[in-house]
Amino acid sequence: MAEFELIDAIARRVRRRRDVAVGIGDDAALLNPPPGYQLAITQDTLNESVHFRSGDDPEAIGCKAAAVNLSDLAAMAAEPAWCTLSLALPDADRPWLDAFLDGFTGLLAEHDVALVGGDTTRGPCSISVTLLGLVPEGQGLRRDAGKVGDDLWVTGSLGDAAAGLAGMGSGDQANYLRGRLLRPQPRIAAGLALRRHARACIDVSDGLLADLGHVLRASGVGAELWLSALPASPALQACTEREQRWQLQCAGGDDYELLFSAAPVDRVAIERLVQASGTPVARIGRLVDTPGCLISDPDGQRWQPSDLGYQHFQTT
Amino acid sequence: MAEFELIDAIARRVRRRRDVAVGIGDDAALLNPPPGYQLAITQDTLNESVHFRSGDDPEAIGCKAAAVNLSDLAAMAAEPAWCTLSLALPDADRPWLDAFLDGFTGLLAEHDVALVGGDTTRGPCSISVTLLGLVPEGQGLRRDAGKVGDDLWVTGSLGDAAAGLAGMGSGDQANYLRGRLLRPQPRIAAGLALRRHARACIDVSDGLLADLGHVLRASGVGAELWLSALPASPALQACTEREQRWQLQCAGGDDYELLFSAAPVDRVAIERLVQASGTPVARIGRLVDTPGCLISDPDGQRWQPSDLGYQHFQTT
């Protein structure tokens, strides 16, 4: 398979959008952003042996490469629009490529994203995706907009992906947990529903406490977190004791849920809007004056996890 | 060095632009594109052992990672604006990183580009850059706009990078050729000068004939090319015989010059405008009805190169 054949295989699967003036096949793509919108842009890369293993299902790798970027746009309340893909492969393995593209372009198509460019190179398997989205001016959700007194919310359930990574459960439960790890569902609809209601927002990729920490530092506030309110899937509940479950929910990564703050006056609107978007939400705490994060167990006792989430290049 | 420290090292070097509403440090950046402009977007990746070697000067690697992307925007006549960087490193080597960032952000700053996001991961060294630029609606230069009768032009000189890669020349000449390979100067000013004058345009990255072939196929035309008119640097002239020089000029990659077509009526305007931008230009042929590319030597005899430029995943 020559490079141009590889590009053709990609180009054939591309969704069309009317705002793409020039797509794949020129030095750069030319796009027509609508007036009155801001551009949201994110780039996330998955590397073999770090983010996935060489034997993993290529369709799931493709799906995840799209999902982690879509999740970043969801957290900004941006509507996905266009993306580029840089694909490094050690050799041109057509069945692998086809399955990868099925997963990648399949999830992008669900969110009406057009693949408009990128490149293909030889190298250790690496997938770098840049995703662009649109958000009406001033309606993007940032990490630094949390205020003392805000409710703290999270979509979906927490800890499933970490449990899936640890190989927990058996049968259908194990499949569910593993599926949450391999095929995360980016919370685009929930993010859009939160425009004009949420204040701070972030996606939970490094783990609840790690990502909450980003919001707290950026917003200059602290938080109270209630373990009894953390949402857990039936599968996670079935295969964990509560201490272990809390650990997974607080420090497990790869959930790709949205963590956000909102004024208490918006409580009813948020439950209505986000649930209308098909996404469960749970109120899990609140933002306070005192710096740091105070975690309470169901008896009102302070609790601390033994591990605080994932960092690349961590030295400790 | 922790991941956040690495991101800080990058963020500290970032050029500010007033159209960046949210830069590095959130789930995505938020940008304000000006009304009446199209967005140009390109993504190019450099991998260790493919595009550079592990012992290469990291400052030059950074410079090249910026240059190859800037060159794509030059070929669209787009003004560079924002970029994202995804950097995979096997370990967190601070001196390497600092030198890389010097080269990368240094060249971006010359072209007023703000680095607004990306990610850092662990993995074999790989640098994936997405660059966005702006072009007034309808003024982008495409590959498919060449017309029969157009003059064919190229900026600067051809073959230097390939000669540098082959280690040709000695002393100052070798340094010059090697510098053209390691620190290509993207032809941004020339690209902007060509708006409303050039028709088809492409950057010469795979080799003159390979890239001319893209223009010919996209435009549905053929070309005549005059070897006597191909621009050669004094260094290349000094260290090559003419057959060898033609080979390097026609099939050598990594020149990052602009190859473009324009109506003969624009001949004077082009020489004036492009030279006013500080870039030499040469008229090297013309577009014709007959498909393919007819290359003539100084005696009017047909000439063919023995090699046709670089492709990843080439099977032949």
Side-chain angles (χ1 to χ4, degrees), chain A residues 226-230 246 296-298:
Chain A
W226 313 317
L227 292 176
S228 60
L230 296 186
W246 293 340
S296 310
D297 74 10

Side-chain angles (χ1 to χ4, degrees), chain A residues 41-43 129-130, chain B residues 29 43 69 82-86 104 113-119 128-132:
Chain A
I41 180 169
T42 184
Q43 181 177 16
V129 177
T130 302
Chain B
Q43 180 177 16
N69 282 283
W82 314 292
C83 82
T84 58
L85 165 67
S86 176
F104 183 68
V113 175
L115 179 64
V116 298
D119 69 347
S128 187
V129 177
T130 301
L131 181 64
L132 279 80

Side-chain angles (χ1 to χ4, degrees), chain B residues 9 20 57 90-91 137 146 194 221 226 236 239 258 305:
Chain B
V20 177
D57 174 7
D91 45 51
E137 219 171 308
L194 289 171
V221 297
W226 314 317
L236 188 73
C239 68
L258 296 185

Side-chain angles (χ1 to χ4, degrees), chain B residues 23-161:
Chain B
I24 290 174
D26 215 307
D27 293 283
L30 287 180
L31 310 172
N32 297 321
Y37 281 76
Q38 291 181 304
L39 273 179
I41 179 169
T42 185
Q43 180 177 16
D44 268 315
T45 298
L46 303 185
N47 300 324
E48 187 177 300
S49 308
V50 180
H51 303 89
F52 59 90
R53 284 168 290 200
S54 72
D56 285 353
D57 174 7
E59 189 268 343
I61 297 170
C63 181
K64 190 149 189 174
V68 299
N69 282 283
L70 287 162
S71 182
D72 280 327
L73 290 200
M76 302 301 285
E79 191 186 330
W82 314 292
C83 82
T84 58
L85 165 67
S86 176
L87 186 60
L89 294 173
D91 45 51
D93 173 342
R94 189 59 192 259
W96 191 97
L97 181 73
D98 282 334
F100 168 81
L101 289 174
D102 282 346
F104 183 68
T105 61
L107 186 56
L108 290 178
E110 283 179 35
H111 295 283
D112 197 23
V113 175
L115 179 64
V116 298
D119 69 347
T120 55
T121 55
R122 216 182 256 286
C125 187
S126 176
I127 302 142
S128 187
V129 177
T130 301
L131 181 64
L132 279 80
L134 298 165
V135 58
E137 219 171 308
Q139 291 185 25
L141 300 178
R142 311 165 52 141
R143 295 180 179 184
D144 62 3
K147 291 192 175 155
V148 170
D150 279 4
D151 293 327
L152 205 52
W153 301 80
V154 73
T155 59
S157 60
L158 295 170
D160 294 332

Side-chain angles (χ1 to χ4, degrees), chain A residues 5-315:
Chain A
E5 199 184 332
L6 184 62
I7 294 169
D8 276 351
I10 295 169
R12 267 200 311 280
R13 290 161 192 262
V14 163
R15 191 176 191 80
R16 317 253 165 239
R17 281 176 65 106
R18 293 175 63 181
D19 52 16
V20 177
V22 176
I24 289 175
D26 215 307
D27 293 284
L30 287 180
L31 311 171
N32 296 319
Y37 281 74
Q38 291 181 306
L39 274 178
I41 180 169
T42 184
Q43 181 177 16
D44 267 315
T45 298
L46 303 186
N47 299 324
E48 187 176 302
S49 307
V50 180
H51 303 89
F52 60 90
R53 284 169 288 199
S54 71
D56 284 354
D57 174 7
E59 189 268 343
I61 296 170
C63 181
K64 190 149 188 173
V68 298
N69 283 282
L70 287 163
S71 182
D72 280 326
L73 291 200
M76 301 301 285
E79 191 185 332
W82 313 292
C83 82
T84 59
L85 165 67
S86 176
L87 186 60
L89 295 174
D91 44 50
D93 174 343
R94 188 60 191 256
W96 191 97
L97 181 73
D98 282 334
F100 167 80
L101 289 174
D102 282 346
F104 183 67
T105 61
L107 186 56
L108 290 178
E110 283 179 36
H111 295 282
D112 198 24
V113 174
L115 179 64
V116 298
D119 70 347
T120 56
T121 55
R122 216 182 256 286
C125 187
S126 176
I127 303 142
S128 187
V129 177
T130 302
L131 181 64
L132 279 81
L134 298 164
V135 59
E137 219 171 306
Q139 291 185 27
L141 300 178
R142 310 167 52 142
R143 296 180 178 183
D144 62 2
K147 291 192 176 158
V148 171
D150 278 4
D151 294 326
L152 205 53
W153 301 80
V154 74
T155 59
S157 61
L158 295 170
D160 293 334
L165 184 66
M168 298 177 77
S170 59
D172 285 353
Q173 287 163 3
N175 288 340
Y176 173 83
L177 296 172
R178 191 92 190 138
R180 288 271 291 162
L181 174 70
L182 296 179
R183 289 181 181 76
Q185 290 302 310
R187 297 299 192 183
I188 294 291
L192 298 180
L194 289 172
R195 282 179 185 168
R196 279 180 291 191
H197 292 286
R199 282 187 175 136
C201 188
I202 193 170
D203 75 323
V204 182
S205 55
D206 294 335
L208 176 65
L209 294 184
D211 290 310
L212 175 58
H214 296 318
V215 169
L216 300 185
R217 273 188 299 278
S219 298
V221 297
E224 291 175 8
L225 205 62
W226 313 317
L227 292 176
S228 60
L230 296 186
S233 68
L236 188 73
Q237 289 184 41
C239 69
T240 50
E241 300 298 325
R242 68 176 208 172
E243 270 284 336
Q244 185 185 29
R245 184 159 64 245
W246 293 340
Q247 182 69 37
L248 292 167
Q249 291 175 300
C250 286
D254 275 349
D255 282 319
Y256 299 102
E257 298 292 352
L258 297 183
L259 171 69
F260 60 96
S261 85
V265 70
D266 275 315
R267 219 170 267 180
V268 174
I270 282 169
E271 286 185 331
R272 191 168 37 79
L273 281 167
V274 180
Q275 287 177 354
S277 78
T279 317
V281 284
R283 193 154 52 82
I284 61 170
R286 62 193 191 98
L287 298 184
V288 297
D289 249 333
T290 319
C293 181
L294 183 68
I295 310 172
S296 310
D297 74 10
D299 304 320
Q301 299 298 307
R302 187 161 185 180
W303 184 84
Q304 284 284 9
S306 55
D307 175 32
L308 279 167
Y310 189 70
Q311 273 199 21
H312 287 275
F313 303 110
Q314 195 157 30
T315 49

